[in-house]
Amino acid sequence: MKIKATIERLPGGMMIVPLMIGCLLANIAPNLPKFFGSFTGALFTGALPIMAVFYVCMGATISVETTPYVLKKGGSLLAAKVLCGVVAGVVLGRLLGEKPVNSGFFAGLSTLAVVAAINDTNGGLYMALMGQYGSPRDVGAYSLMSLESGPFLTMLTLGVAGLSAFPWPTLVGAILPLAAGMVLGNLDRELREFLGRAVPVLIPFFAFALGAGIDLKNVWQSGLLGLALGLLVVAVSGVVLVLADRLSGGNGVAGLAAATTAGNAATVPALVAAANPAYSDAARQATILVSASVVVTAIMVPFLVAWWAGRSRRSGSEPG
């Protein structure tokens, strides 16, 4: 049976198929991880540890000569993401303020929901797509983009007074695994080859765990509005990120791969509301809408990236 070949026919298949399997199992049998516990339970909940190991192994494949490229590419994509969030926050903040829309098709939509959905990139999906359609240098660019994770950038964008600081231990912790891998890989070529072979193997495992954290009921409840928010994130941030990628010397593939919503972005509305009660009314529906955007962008972006990568190869616009 050619299981691997079949999965890889789907764009980003090694990420998407395990993610969907984890999502379906967790929603059909939510008590399964607790029932079996031990290693089986850990497969459903261990996304972060597996991704940490992935970072170390991926870092080992990055030569020190590529560091300027990583800083340029990661910085460009991060700046583009921040710009999209700030513009959305300013425009919608003037129209809606801190409260959600109360009626009509857009009922439940809020500045908080849109900013949270735009601000945080699905790092696992980005790294998987760049591993297939990009290069280790492109994957390494996420070490800078990971600074957008969590509620801090959203709080800053929304202008929550006194909550704009980013804790330095968290900032350093986001970079340490990749940096450790880079040091090991550059000190010992054999270690680079040894750790580098684990990179594609780890992708389906953290994808499965990420999928197990997605609640399909939230996606269903959000209806067409959640679908529209996901489409908005891909369309609006995708254009800006592709431009930023091309300006930094890329062909747009990395930018398009970053036009997603991270799974942990669904936790941001509640955290923001806890820090500032003014967002309490918007937080509940925002969580549902952001969850829908996670699923919509995770499904759409791999197909768009595969199409764009093929288009770039045919037009001869592969970066050097």
Side-chain angles (χ1 to χ4, degrees):
M1 295 179 65
K2 296 184 177 181
I3 298 174
K4 181 174 180 290
T6 302
I7 292 175
E8 289 179 336
R9 289 197 187 103
L10 179 69
M14 277 298 175
M15 175 73 187
I16 291 298
V17 172
L19 184 142
M20 291 302 176
I21 293 173
C23 181
L24 289 173
L25 283 177
N27 282 270
I28 293 172
N31 294 320
L32 196 64
K34 292 182 180 179
F35 179 79
F36 286 108
S38 189
F39 301 119
T40 301
L43 281 174
F44 284 81
T45 59
L48 288 181
I50 299 172
M51 289 180 72
V53 176
F54 177 88
Y55 261 124
V56 175
C57 296
M58 180 54 67
T61 67
I62 302 173
S63 171
V64 289
E65 287 82 6
T66 68
T67 301
Y69 178 92
V70 169
L71 293 174
K72 180 177 70 172
K73 177 60 66 71
S76 299
L77 296 180
L78 175 62
K81 269 279 188 177
V82 172
L83 176 64
C84 289
V86 169
V87 171
V90 170
V91 173
L92 292 176
R94 292 182 178 275
L95 295 174
L96 304 177
E98 299 158 343
K99 303 297 182 182
V101 176
N102 292 321
S103 60
F105 175 78
F106 294 102
L109 185 68
S110 63
T111 308
L112 174 60
V114 177
V115 172
I118 288 177
N119 265 347
D120 203 346
T121 298
N122 187 329
L125 182 57
Y126 172 85
M127 290 185 289
L129 291 172
M130 286 300 93
Q132 183 172 355
Y133 299 105
S135 69
R137 301 188 307 169
D138 294 315
V139 175
Y142 186 71
S143 60
L144 279 181
M145 296 169 63
S146 65
L147 301 181
E148 68 196 15
S149 299
F152 303 101
L153 184 57
T154 299
M155 289 177 181
L156 178 61
T157 304
L158 294 170
V160 179
L163 293 173
S164 60
F166 202 105
W168 72 264
T170 303
L171 187 150
V172 175
I175 300 172
L176 271 179
L178 188 85
M182 287 182 66
V183 170
L184 292 172
N186 283 278
L187 288 176
D188 187 343
R189 184 177 296 275
E190 290 184 0
L191 263 180
R192 175 181 297 176
E193 294 175 359
F194 172 72
L195 294 172
R197 287 194 291 268
V199 171
V201 176
L202 290 168
I203 290 174
F205 290 99
F206 70 67
F208 178 87
L210 288 172
I214 296 176
D215 190 343
L216 289 178
K217 285 187 283 189
N218 286 342
V219 179
W220 177 259
Q221 290 173 18
S222 69
L224 292 177
L225 186 58
L227 173 63
L229 179 58
L231 295 174
L232 178 73
V233 170
V234 175
V236 176
S237 69
V239 171
V240 177
L241 287 162
V242 166
L243 290 174
D245 186 15
R246 294 184 72 90
L247 288 173
S248 65
N251 60 359
V253 172
L256 197 54
T260 55
T261 302
N264 62 7
T267 67
V268 169
L271 295 172
V272 171
N276 188 339
Y279 293 97
S280 297
D281 292 343
R284 179 181 169 276
Q285 191 65 22
T287 299
I288 295 173
L289 291 173
V290 174
S291 297
S293 182
V294 173
V295 176
V296 172
T297 57
I299 293 172
M300 283 191 61
V301 167
F303 291 98
L304 291 175
V305 168
W307 167 76
W308 190 274
R311 175 180 176 275
S312 298
R313 285 193 294 270
R314 289 191 297 272
S315 64
S317 60
E318 289 285 339

